[in-house]
Amino acid sequence: MIYKKKKRNMPLIPLRGLSIFPYMVLHFDIGRDKSINALEEAMVNDSLVFLTSQTKPNIDMPGVDDFNKVGTVSKVKQMLKLPGDTIRVLVEGINRGQILEVTQEEPFFEAEIEELIYEEEIIEDKKTETLMRMVLGSFEDYVNTGKKISGEVLDTVNEIEEPGKLADVISSYITLDLENKQKILEAFDPNDRLETLEVVLQEEIEILKIEEKINERVKDQINKVQKEHYLREQIRAIQAELGEDESIEDETNEYKEKIEKGDIPEEVKEKALKEINRLSKLPPSSPETGIIRNYLDWITELPWNEETEDILDLKKSKDILDRDHYGLKDVKERILEYLGVRKLSDSLKGPIICLVGPPGVGKTSIAKSIASSMGKEFVRMSLGGVRDESEIRGHRRTYVGAMPGRIISSIKKAGTNNPVFLLDEIDKMSGDFRGDPASALLEVLDPEQNSTFTDHFLEFPFDLSKVMFITTANTLNTIPAPLRDRMEIIQVSGYTEQEKLEIAKRYLLPKQKKENGLSDKNLSLSDNTIIDVISKYTREAGVRNLERELANICRKSAKRIVEEDIETVRVNTSNLNNYLGTPKFSYDLIAEENEIGLVRGLAWTSVGGVTLSVEATPMKGKGKIQLTGKLGDVMKESAMAGISYVRAHAAELNIDEDFYTNKDIHIHVPEGGTPKDGPSAGVTMATAVVSALSETPVYRTLAMTGEVTLRGRVLPVGGIKEKVLAAQRAGITKILLPWENKKDMDDIPSKTKREIEFVFVKDMEEVLDHALVKKDDENEN
Ligand code: ADP
């Protein structure tokens, strides 16, 4: 390593935050007067200045101690005056130098510099060579990692053979803090310089690697966010094209307006506003927006405080009930009483009306009349088949496709919070593992609890205390007891043929004519024809099918009127089957003769009363009893009771006392279809057995019903009115009823009472006395 030192005076410029290495080209701006003076001085001489960095870059007017002693002798290559007093200079570093003495401070710094001039620089030893390779390798790493320097620089650097120069050139390319730069500058010995550079390079590479990692991560994040943003913008653009872009904002505004204007409880409002806020922040495509919208729609459309004013005018209620319904005297009376109590107590905290009766007897339409007479809205909800508590109380909103329960849905449909709410078929509800709907319903119906009925979906209590609930059922047996306790039961029983005729003439036919666009003179239908429709085409306690058949006739008549251009269609008993087809039912009419072992019983079914012919036949055997036909378990038991009675009284009845050891008895109840109620066939079966064993016929015009005990007592049974009506239809003229059913005679229309002979019996003896044909009558058929 050969270099010489040269001392000379030259102007000095302190650099702020910069430093320059030999071989390096640098441009920077000069503004300070002292520096400009120094530059001017240099220009008039040999263009050389000594550049050294300030130890503290923020000092504006540096003193002698404020710059490093080691710097670079540089040559000014270019000067450019910039607007203002700034001058941009381009300099090239020539040699290292160090200040021996600052010789002048004003008007610019001048110093005596010892310049180190390299004359010949060669690789002297292995160490230098190794260091050079290491530095080159590290620099290559640095370039590759940082990617801030072009690859061509590597080629240039690779060609440098002088170790000191190599260090200086590389140093000029890499980003270094001033401290490290100064360290390298102060390393006069090339080996020292390479070593210092290598350490610095390694540090820098580490930093670059970390930076790179961080950048990668940041970039990933940004990419994701940008992608979403970009997609969302695209959706907005598409929506704008489709004219839907106002949607979200308009929508939220609309909701806000509705919520603020709506008569909604404060806490619900608050929650709704929160949801609106959430909605506005969600991307339109998010599935959650649908859920929120659904919720808001419900909240805004529920009649939280909407109510109609109640009219409690008993006279008016009576008029409306009478106007809409024929007969039903008791039912109407009970309802008016109920309304009267309501009027006096001015509260709903009474029992709930439950209208019990077969289908089609007008339960729904009574409830409707109650609503209209009180000026209330009317909603109906069927509980038939409801088996899940959530159908009553709704699903939580987290549940996919969640909706409010049917109570709240119906209230929304009603549009007021005090409608008449008909819960239909309360007896058809069933519970399973998903929870018991009955207990949820109990809460709905309980005046103590229903003011805060909370639907899972709404999450807020809705006041049901102003709702007037009315329930209907076909039978009381299947209504859960706690529910039944809440209710005031009003029985609506079936209609007689005569009543049906009146209902058909006054209500059903006019209604159907109107619906089918027929005037009175368009269709003529005699009473007898209507009775045929009732008896041959329907078998029901109510009038639902009757109404359907009449509608059928009206439709077909309307068609004929149009097609054949005639004015009046006459439907009579002989052409009725052209309209309704062949009769669907033939009544189990009375037999032609008195027969042995054949007794007419009466039974009650959910669609009304029926007659049933019980047959008994003794056969050779070992005392077995065989029962066939549609027999419920209870009916089997009453058959056994009847037979036991016969066994006990065999002697009096003129029956072979050993009949149960040498004869089998076969009992058959032929009429099928609906399951019959049980015990009320007891007397019938016992009579059939006695008749068969004693070979005595039974009067054919007689029918009976009643339960029988082992000792032959006849116990009362239910459904008397329906049974009597069925007997009348079949042409029966005498009916045996249990003594204790006398009280039920009030329900029987007086016309029926006139046509049929009723006998009230206390025991089997009396039954048999009336049933078995007397010797004198035997030839009288
Ligand atoms: P339910 O609810 O008992 O099954 P609905 O109320 O639906 O029966 O009655 C069926 C049809 O019969 C309705 O059109 C109703 O108006 C009519 N109806 C039933 N009973 C009467 C009656 N006593 N007077 C007039 N119409 C009646």
Side-chain angles (χ1 to χ4, degrees):
M1 168 80 42
I2 298 164
Y3 62 89
K4 65 177 190 203
K5 295 177 180 174
K6 186 178 173 187
K7 288 184 197 167
R8 50 174 161 176
N9 266 357
M10 60 177 75
L12 177 151
I13 299 179
L15 297 174
R16 292 210 276 187
L18 283 174
S19 58
I20 180 167
F21 291 97
Y23 312 104
M24 181 177 171
V25 176
L26 176 76
H27 64 77
F28 57 93
D29 297 344
I30 296 177
R32 293 185 281 198
D33 286 347
K34 253 184 174 175
S35 302
I36 292 173
N37 291 342
L39 187 67
E40 277 169 357
E41 171 66 17
M43 295 314 285
V44 295
N45 291 304
D46 47 11
S47 303
L48 291 178
V49 283
F50 186 73
L51 297 177
T52 180
S53 55
Q54 279 180 214
T55 47
K56 289 180 191 135
N58 52 353
I59 296 180
D60 228 12
M61 292 290 181
V64 179
D65 298 328
D66 293 327
F67 38 80
N68 289 306
K69 298 292 170 277
V70 176
T72 305
V73 175
S74 310
K75 193 172 182 96
V76 179
K77 293 262 183 179
Q78 253 181 26
M79 279 172 54
L80 185 67
K81 264 200 159 293
L82 294 180
D85 289 334
T86 314
I87 296 169
R88 176 159 297 170
V89 287
L90 184 76
V91 294
E92 186 188 359
I94 308 290
N95 284 315
R96 277 181 172 69
Q98 66 179 325
I99 300 168
L100 296 177
E101 191 188 351
V102 178
T103 50
Q104 177 192 305
E105 293 186 35
E106 295 293 340
F108 55 89
F109 287 113
E110 196 182 54
E112 188 185 10
I113 304 294
E114 186 180 58
E115 190 180 356
L116 287 93
I117 303 167
Y118 295 87
E119 292 199 323
E120 195 179 344
E121 203 189 352
I122 45 157
I123 303 163
E124 279 173 345
D125 52 21
K126 279 268 175 259
K127 187 180 176 194
T128 311
E129 204 181 321
T130 315
L131 278 170
M132 282 177 75
R133 277 202 209 142
M134 279 171 74
V135 167
L136 272 172
S138 301
F139 184 57
E140 203 172 326
D141 276 357
Y142 178 87
V143 172
N144 290 336
T145 317
K147 298 190 182 87
K148 287 176 194 158
I149 301 167
S150 94
E152 287 164 24
V153 174
L154 280 177
D155 297 340
T156 321
V157 171
N158 268 323
E159 278 165 20
I160 300 173
E161 287 176 356
E162 303 93 328
K165 182 177 175 186
L166 179 71
D168 283 341
V169 172
I170 288 179
S171 300
S172 67
Y173 281 118
I174 59 181
T175 328
L176 286 178
D177 56 22
L178 278 180
E179 207 180 314
N180 279 328
K181 278 183 180 169
Q182 194 61 34
K183 256 195 216 160
I184 294 170
L185 208 54
E186 285 174 13
F188 291 157
D189 176 62
N191 278 359
D192 284 354
R193 201 179 303 163
L194 284 168
E195 258 185 71
T196 314
L197 178 61
E198 173 63 15
V199 172
V200 170
L201 268 175
Q202 288 300 342
E203 274 173 20
E204 287 301 313
I205 289 169
E206 266 321 294
I207 292 173
L208 277 180
K209 279 189 181 156
I210 294 171
E211 249 176 35
E212 195 180 33
K213 261 193 210 153
I214 294 175
N215 276 342
E216 245 356 273
R217 225 178 288 158
V218 171
K219 215 160 97 191
D220 271 0
Q221 281 284 335
I222 291 179
N223 277 352
K224 203 170 148 214
V225 172
Q226 269 180 341
K227 191 171 153 200
E228 274 179 17
H229 175 76
Y230 175 72
L231 288 175
R232 218 164 283 155
E233 283 305 312
Q234 274 196 327
I235 289 177
R236 294 240 158 91
I238 291 171
Q239 284 179 329
E241 271 310 302
L242 293 171
E244 292 170 0
D245 57 330
E246 24 17 304
S247 55
I248 285 279
E249 207 182 312
D250 277 12
E251 199 183 10
T252 48
N253 286 341
E254 223 170 88
Y255 276 130
K256 261 186 210 151
E257 204 182 4
K258 268 196 209 161
I259 298 278
E260 262 140 30
K261 278 194 189 154
D263 200 350
I264 298 171
E266 244 356 275
E267 49 170 2
V268 181
K269 261 188 197 176
E270 237 167 70
K271 165 89 178 177
L273 290 174
K274 260 189 213 153
E275 292 290 319
I276 292 174
N277 201 15
R278 225 152 66 82
L279 180 65
S280 65
K281 285 187 186 139
L282 284 171
S285 52
S286 156
E288 248 194 288
T289 58
I291 298 174
I292 297 180
R293 267 192 216 115
N294 189 20
Y295 183 70
L296 291 171
D297 284 343
W298 277 98
I299 294 258
T300 47
E301 283 167 33
L302 270 183
W304 296 95
N305 289 312
E306 220 110 321
E307 56 184 280
T308 48
E309 204 173 321
D310 279 359
I311 306 168
L312 265 175
D313 176 346
L314 292 192
K315 170 91 182 48
K316 185 174 173 213
S317 298
K318 183 173 182 336
D319 288 349
I320 290 186
L321 282 170
D322 283 341
R323 183 194 72 195
D324 295 345
H325 301 96
Y326 175 82
L328 298 175
K329 204 161 144 262
D330 286 354
V331 177
K332 289 174 186 168
E333 199 66 26
R334 290 280 301 277
I335 285 170
L336 291 173
E337 279 167 22
Y338 179 88
L339 295 180
V341 173
R342 278 281 312 279
K343 186 167 183 177
L344 285 183
S345 68
D346 197 25
S347 124
L348 276 173
K349 291 201 175 153
I352 284 149
I353 293 182
C354 177
L355 298 164
V356 181
V361 292
K363 299 184 296 294
T364 310
S365 96
I366 290 169
K368 270 190 199 156
S369 295
I370 295 176
S372 80
S373 78
M374 295 178 74
K376 282 174 171 295
E377 293 295 328
F378 175 81
V379 273
R380 175 174 174 268
M381 159 185 165
S382 176
L383 289 166
V386 168
R387 44 177 49 216
D388 186 348
E389 187 196 354
S390 64
E391 290 195 50
I392 306 277
R393 219 194 269 281
H395 281 295
R396 293 190 190 287
R397 270 197 293 153
T398 44
Y399 188 90
V400 180
M403 287 288 270
R406 285 163 59 181
I407 298 285
I408 289 297
S409 305
S410 303
I411 291 288
K412 179 177 152 194
K413 206 158 80 191
T416 63
N417 67 5
N418 64 341
V420 166
F421 195 136
L422 185 73
L423 293 163
D424 232 349
E425 305 193 305
I426 197 163
D427 54 330
K428 301 276 190 328
M429 208 170 42
S430 59
D432 65 9
F433 63 94
R434 282 167 292 196
D436 182 8
S439 61
L441 198 61
L442 209 59
E443 189 190 322
V444 169
L445 297 179
D446 184 352
E448 302 296 330
Q449 292 183 57
N450 68 8
S451 60
T452 55
F453 173 73
T454 305
D455 185 282
H456 288 325
F457 179 86
L458 285 189
E459 295 169 6
F460 286 102
F462 189 96
D463 184 359
L464 293 177
S465 65
K466 294 177 189 154
V467 177
M468 178 172 178
F469 288 102
I470 297 181
T471 60
T472 78
N474 289 350
T475 125
L476 285 176
N477 301 338
T478 49
I479 305 178
L483 268 179
R484 202 163 56 191
D485 289 347
R486 295 234 151 274
M487 301 191 290
E488 173 163 343
I489 310 290
I490 298 182
Q491 291 276 358
V492 190
S493 45
Y495 298 112
T496 63
E497 205 167 82
Q498 202 57 39
E499 284 170 328
K500 286 185 185 173
L501 174 65
E502 292 303 322
I503 294 173
K505 284 203 305 194
R506 296 183 200 198
Y507 299 91
L508 307 180
L509 198 54
K511 187 166 132 198
Q512 288 307 326
K513 276 186 180 168
K514 198 167 152 210
E515 272 175 24
N516 288 286
L518 297 173
S519 72
D520 276 346
K521 63 175 188 306
N522 285 154
L523 174 65
S524 109
L525 205 61
S526 69
D527 285 7
N528 279 339
T529 320
I530 297 178
I531 287 184
D532 264 12
V533 177
I534 295 169
S535 61
K536 295 185 182 161
Y537 293 88
T538 67
R539 176 166 293 178
E540 57 178 351
V543 292
R544 194 170 286 171
N545 290 324
L546 175 59
E547 183 169 17
R548 211 169 288 151
E549 297 298 347
L550 292 175
N552 229 336
I553 294 176
C554 290
R555 252 197 326 276
K556 296 212 163 110
S557 306
K559 185 164 165 252
R560 271 193 65 194
I561 288 173
V562 175
E563 278 181 359
E564 298 169 24
D565 197 18
I566 45 177
E567 202 183 347
T568 309
V569 173
R570 276 176 224 285
V571 183
N572 52 41
T573 48
S574 49
N575 68 9
L576 184 59
N577 54 359
N578 294 341
Y579 294 84
L580 298 181
T582 46
K584 292 179 186 143
F585 303 101
S586 60
Y587 272 99
D588 186 17
L589 293 173
I590 53 170
E592 308 265 304
E593 291 174 32
N594 298 332
E595 287 191 48
I596 293 172
L598 179 76
V599 186
R600 191 60 59 104
L602 298 172
W604 181 91
T605 74
S606 59
V607 297
V610 289
T611 62
L612 35 109
S613 306
V614 176
E615 291 172 58
T617 318
M619 287 171 282
K620 268 208 160 59
K622 294 197 191 89
K624 265 200 311 201
I625 290 161
Q626 202 186 353
L627 292 159
T628 54
K630 269 254 169 192
L631 296 155
D633 282 342
V634 194
M635 205 183 239
K636 282 181 190 160
E637 279 168 29
S638 48
M640 304 306 273
I643 288 163
S644 299
Y645 171 82
V646 177
R647 272 178 67 179
H649 297 82
E652 304 143 47
L653 294 169
N654 257 337
I655 296 172
D656 171 13
E657 281 184 48
D658 293 332
F659 78 89
Y660 55 91
T661 54
N662 54 25
K663 283 192 173 122
D664 283 353
I665 297 173
H666 181 181
I667 301 177
H668 180 68
V669 184
E671 186 65 21
T674 40
K676 312 297 183 303
D677 68 337
S680 69
V683 285
T684 321
M685 281 186 278
T687 309
V689 171
V690 175
S691 161
L693 291 173
S694 64
E695 292 174 8
T696 318
V698 175
Y699 288 109
R700 64 188 182 103
T701 51
L702 176 96
M704 61 180 71
T705 180
E707 193 179 341
V708 66
T709 67
L710 291 181
R711 289 161 180 269
R713 262 187 58 213
V714 176
L715 299 182
V717 292
I720 296 297
K721 183 182 175 193
E722 278 85 2
K723 288 175 176 175
V724 168
L725 296 178
Q728 190 180 20
R729 276 197 299 261
I732 297 290
T733 54
K734 182 172 174 179
I735 299 178
L736 304 186
L737 294 174
W739 181 262
E740 283 164 66
N741 279 113
K742 238 181 176 169
K743 59 177 188 331
D744 296 304
M745 289 313 283
D746 296 348
D747 295 341
I748 309 294
S750 37
K751 185 162 177 284
T752 311
K753 281 188 203 162
R754 282 196 301 274
E755 287 171 4
I756 294 178
E757 181 191 352
F758 290 92
V759 181
F760 297 94
V761 293
K762 287 182 179 151
D763 54 35
M764 266 318 280
E765 208 176 321
E766 281 182 78
V767 173
L768 295 173
D769 189 37
H770 286 282
L772 299 177
V773 174
K774 305 271 183 315
K775 281 266 178 290
D776 318 345
D777 290 343
E778 243 171 57
N779 308 319
E780 241 187 49
N781 287 305

